[in-house]
Amino acid sequence: MLEYRTQGFNGYGIKYSPFFDSRIAVATAANFGLVGNGRLYVLGLTPNGIVSEKWFDTQDSLYDISWSEQHENQLIVASGDGSIKLFDIALNEFPIQSWQEHKREVFSVHWNLVSKDTFCSSSWDGTIKIWSPHRPTSLLTIPTHSCTYSTSFSPHSPSVLSCVSSDSHLRIFDLRTPPSASNHQTLSIPLHTSPLTVPGQPPSRGIAPSEALTHDWNKYRSSVTATAGVDRMVRTWDIRVPKQGPIAVLSGHEYAVRKLSWSPHLSDTLLSASYDMTCRVWSDGFTFANNIPGQAREEEEAMANAAGSGAMGGKELGRMGQHTEFVTGVDWCLFGAEGWCTSCGWDERVLVWDVRSVMGR
């Protein structure tokens, strides 16, 4: 396990570079993000440990980060003053672009993985905005009417994006649809929906709504997402059958779940970061087909039919408990061995570790 100390700044978001396996960016905030400056760290992994390649100071806290999919040296950050800033790490001191349209804290930014020329942001002001790095103003504003903690483009479509918010809903938007009164919204799933009752078993108890803080799209199954938040549960969903409830409900965290990340290597594996000071690795119970013609489609259909029926039981595979404060960010390395990941937290520490080393704990 490798460690780097972000002295005086508490971690909020962390991302591996999509171009280099040895580069990590970290969004941090002074005074736990309550008041004060922010700092963007660009870290390099070397044979001698983690070193700081560069950092940029900002006037307000930084809450999230996303690397450009077009330019290896550029990345965007979400700021507490409602701004989004684009930095080029080949340059010094100042961002090369800044956008100021959100009325409250920007809590999430995400680059479009398919078209690569747009990114989205969400804010406590109850809106999602779509941007181009080449335009001085946003391309589109989508109201959610609720404090929106996380937004993301689908990794399978350039025009589908999603969000979760304080009203305990997962919303799906398709920018190909007419704007109309729905503002491109095609689906809204109440996350407090109980799993479908299994025949012969007592009905599920009702679940109280709670704030949803994070979500992520599965990298291999185009209709599957995972959500989590204040109620401590990680849930996976098939958006093709939203009324059948969650595919899997993964319990174990003792406090709110702050960040989720599906594995880029394994279709059934995801990581979570929580305020209980642990990172946990989970399986949602789905095993992807082994490249047998027709088999993948059959398994996808079987999953859809079984969704919510209790047939897909997920489980915790392991946990990492080396952080000593809230864990707020986690991400997988896209390259090399399939287990390497990184995490950050309010303990001013960045950890780089191998998921395989904690399996079974």
Side-chain angles (χ1 to χ4, degrees):
M1 181 178 291
L2 303 176
E3 179 177 336
Y4 181 84
R5 184 76 182 270
T6 57
Q7 185 72 39
F9 290 87
N10 311 102
Y12 262 93
I14 192 163
K15 282 288 181 182
Y16 265 101
S17 166
F19 297 97
F20 304 103
D21 62 356
S22 60
R23 181 171 287 169
I24 296 171
V26 193
T28 67
N31 305 307
F32 304 98
L34 301 176
V35 64
N37 299 338
R39 179 173 287 179
L40 165 63
Y41 287 90
V42 180
L43 306 178
L45 307 182
T46 74
N48 297 320
I50 305 176
V51 299
S52 176
E53 296 180 348
K54 184 165 287 190
W55 68 76
F56 299 90
D57 287 325
T58 59
Q59 292 184 344
D60 213 312
S61 304
L62 300 182
Y63 293 133
D64 198 19
I65 192 168
S66 184
W67 285 95
S68 168
E69 293 291 325
Q70 289 184 315
H71 197 299
E72 64 189 28
N73 289 329
Q74 294 183 359
L75 66 171
I76 50 173
V77 292
S79 180
D81 61 4
S83 70
I84 300 163
K85 293 178 170 58
L86 174 67
F87 287 93
D88 190 317
I89 63 175
L91 305 176
N92 294 322
E93 296 187 23
F94 302 111
I96 59 174
Q97 178 68 286
S98 182
W99 298 270
Q100 182 90 47
E101 290 188 20
H102 284 294
K103 302 298 189 293
R104 293 198 62 190
E105 291 88 339
V106 183
F107 220 62
S108 176
V109 287
H110 187 265
W111 210 281
N112 193 321
L113 301 178
V114 182
S115 71
K116 302 183 186 299
D117 59 352
T118 56
F119 61 90
C120 60
S121 63
S122 69
S123 168
W124 293 5
D125 65 7
T127 65
I128 297 171
K129 290 181 181 286
I130 313 298
W131 310 84
S132 166
H134 309 296
R135 296 279 295 274
T137 59
S138 61
L139 304 176
L140 179 67
T141 298
I142 302 174
T144 63
H145 309 292
S146 182
C147 179
T148 306
Y149 291 109
S150 174
T151 188
S152 174
F153 275 103
S154 166
H156 308 281
S157 170
S159 56
V160 175
L161 69 155
S162 56
C163 74
V164 294
S165 50
S166 60
D167 65 357
S168 189
H169 278 73
L170 166 68
R171 292 179 172 87
I172 309 295
F173 304 91
D174 191 335
L175 304 183
R176 295 168 294 189
T177 61
S180 68
S182 63
N183 294 298
H184 300 289
Q185 181 174 305
T186 58
L187 188 62
S188 179
I189 303 175
L191 301 180
H192 46 283
T193 301
S194 300
L196 215 60
T197 301
V198 179
Q201 295 187 8
S204 302
R205 294 183 300 170
I207 302 171
S210 62
E211 292 191 311
L213 303 178
T214 179
H215 78 300
D216 194 33
W217 288 87
N218 188 285
K219 309 303 188 293
Y220 293 92
R221 293 178 277 158
S222 61
S223 63
V224 174
T225 63
T227 64
V230 171
D231 70 356
R232 304 169 295 171
M233 302 292 182
V234 178
R235 295 178 175 87
T236 61
W237 307 83
D238 188 333
I239 63 174
R240 298 173 299 179
V241 283
K243 294 183 179 180
Q244 294 193 18
I247 301 170
V249 179
L250 309 172
S251 61
H253 278 298
E254 299 171 13
Y255 292 102
V257 180
R258 179 62 177 78
K259 191 69 175 178
L260 291 175
S261 182
W262 282 100
S263 169
H265 307 288
L266 303 171
S267 68
D268 68 329
T269 305
L270 70 159
L271 270 173
S272 60
S274 169
Y275 291 161
D276 66 7
M277 301 184 286
T278 68
C279 295
R280 306 194 188 204
V281 57
W282 310 84
S283 169
D284 73 344
F286 177 84
T287 302
F288 198 72
N290 294 322
N291 294 325
I292 302 174
Q295 185 73 11
R297 181 176 297 276
E298 291 174 8
E299 292 209 8
E300 286 259 5
E301 292 174 352
M303 180 187 66
N305 293 332
S309 67
M312 292 184 61
K315 63 178 181 179
E316 180 181 328
L317 302 178
R319 70 184 68 177
M320 190 277 290
Q322 296 299 311
H323 283 284
T324 56
E325 256 292 356
F326 294 169
V327 189
T328 52
V330 68
D331 193 36
W332 297 85
C333 180
L334 298 175
F335 307 99
E338 62 192 26
W340 284 98
C341 65
T342 184
S343 58
C344 68
W346 279 14
D347 55 3
E348 303 180 1
R349 296 162 71 211
V350 171
L351 301 180
V352 176
W353 47 286
D354 189 344
V355 165
R356 294 167 296 183
S357 68
V358 302
M359 295 288 238
R361 291 189 184 180

